[in-house]
């Protein structure tokens, strides 16, 4: 069974540009969450999608957006990039539909975004 | 507010020594608890999880954790550290209220000295 796949693995963008990251969850997983990981801040929740609907959203500016397709694949977009957006962006998928759950989240290897 | 606290951003142990990584959470309702490990340039991998029942949970690679409700803690231990254990460890919590699927601690980087 294939794991969570994130593309691309590495990305370098210039300030002011926009970027789109992709995540393919494990087959059968309908919940997809995105996290931003930076040194010192740990993992910060961006948003979660389930059945093509954004179910939860973290405390990030509107420049960060996402969507989920009917095959559960998800994309996140960051517009007007800032230097502070440089981070590892992680995607996780789960089988559970509940927020309060003991179901394991499976993570992709992440996309390392560098903004210059 | 619901939160997860990992004491110590960096822990260093000698090979063969006990590993103890601390995690505390704030919640009046016992949550579901997880420990994840992250190796350099990799995603997160589940080490173990606590759901209900036995408070001592065994995970992969010889790690275990004990849930203590009275102390709202879920500390991770391993009796004897190995060089391959060097990584970053994250405690994660699924709370009964709130909208975030998993709330993570800031992580503890474990170094193992030969």
């Amino acid at each position: 069974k294939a794991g969570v796949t994130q593309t691309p693995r590495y990305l370098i963008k210039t300030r002011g540009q926009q970027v789109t990251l992709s995540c393919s969850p494990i087959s059968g997983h309908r919940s997809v969450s995105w996290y931003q990981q930076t040194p010192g801040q740990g993992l910060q929740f961006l948003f979660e999608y389930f059945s093509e609907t954004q179910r939860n959203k973290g405390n990030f500016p509107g420049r960060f957006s996402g969507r989920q397709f009917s095959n559960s694949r998800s994309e996140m977009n960051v517009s007007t990039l800032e230097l502070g957006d440089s981070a590892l962006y992680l995607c996780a998928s789960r089988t559970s539909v509940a927020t309060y759950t003991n179901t394991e989240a499976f993570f992709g290897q992440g996309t390392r975004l560098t903004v210059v | 507010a619901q939160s997860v606290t990992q004491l110590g951003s960096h822990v260093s142990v000698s090979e063969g020594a006990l590993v103890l990584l601390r995690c505390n959470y704030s919640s009046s309702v016992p949550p579901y608890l997880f420990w994840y490990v992250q190796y350099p340039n990799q995603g997160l991998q589940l080490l173990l999880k606590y759901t209900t029942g036995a408070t001592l949970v065994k995970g992969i690679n010889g790690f275990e954790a004990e849930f203590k409700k009275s102390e709202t803690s879920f500390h991770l231990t391993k009796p004897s550290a190995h060089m391959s254990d060097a990584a970053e460890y994250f405690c994660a919590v699924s709370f009964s209220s709130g909208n975030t699927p998993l709330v993570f601690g800031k992580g503890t980087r474990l170094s193992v000295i030969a």
Side-chain angles (χ1 to χ4, degrees):
Chain A
K1 198 174 192 181
V4 178
T5 304
Q6 290 189 246
T7 55
R9 287 290 313 277
Y10 301 93
L11 208 49
I12 299 175
K13 289 286 188 179
T14 305
R15 271 184 304 173
Q17 287 186 312
Q18 74 164 18
V19 66
T20 299
L21 312 181
S22 179
C23 172
S24 293
I26 291 172
S27 178
H29 288 196
R30 294 163 63 192
S31 166
V32 174
S33 299
W34 289 88
Y35 290 84
Q36 181 194 65
Q37 184 180 12
T38 54
Q41 293 298 315
L43 280 83
Q44 294 185 287
F45 173 69
L46 279 157
F47 26 65
E48 182 198 16
Y49 286 88
F50 177 77
S51 291
E52 301 179 65
T53 301
Q54 186 181 89
R55 190 160 64 168
N56 300 303
K57 190 177 189 307
N59 189 25
F60 276 82
R63 300 185 297 106
F64 291 82
S65 63
R67 59 178 175 169
Q68 187 180 34
F69 301 95
S70 58
N71 61 358
S72 293
R73 190 177 71 85
S74 177
E75 288 181 348
M76 67 163 282
N77 183 277
V78 188
S79 63
T80 320
L81 284 166
E82 300 176 0
L83 295 179
D85 297 333
S86 295
L88 180 67
Y89 290 88
L90 291 164
C91 166
S93 74
R94 296 186 303 173
T95 56
S96 174
V97 303
T99 303
Y100 178 48
T101 177
N102 61 0
T103 305
E104 174 186 357
F106 292 84
F107 283 81
Q109 291 188 302
T111 295
R112 172 77 61 187
L113 172 64
T114 303
V115 182
V116 298
Chain B
Q2 296 166 335
S3 63
V4 182
T5 302
Q6 289 185 241
L7 281 176
S9 59
H10 183 208
V11 170
S12 186
V13 301
S14 299
E15 193 173 19
L18 171 72
V19 175
L20 170 60
L21 304 181
R22 301 176 188 273
C23 173
N24 289 86
Y25 65 90
S26 62
S27 174
S28 57
V29 176
Y32 296 121
L33 299 151
F34 306 79
W35 274 100
Y36 283 85
V37 61
Q38 184 180 35
Y39 298 102
N41 297 316
Q42 298 293 321
L44 277 68
Q45 177 187 4
L46 182 72
L47 273 178
L48 49 80
K49 67 179 181 182
Y50 170 77
T51 54
T52 56
T55 57
L56 184 62
V57 181
K58 293 188 185 301
I60 62 172
N61 302 338
F63 283 93
E64 59 184 36
E66 185 174 10
F67 170 61
K68 291 188 176 180
K69 183 179 175 182
S70 60
E71 298 178 7
T72 59
S73 69
F74 190 56
H75 300 332
L76 182 71
T77 60
K78 182 174 180 178
S80 176
H82 191 272
M83 297 297 289
S84 61
D85 295 327
E88 186 139 23
Y89 293 80
F90 292 92
C91 180
V93 180
S94 177
F95 290 103
S96 61
S97 62
N99 290 326
T100 304
L102 277 178
V103 178
F104 285 84
K106 291 191 184 296
T108 298
R109 184 163 61 90
L110 175 67
S111 296
V112 181
I113 304 166

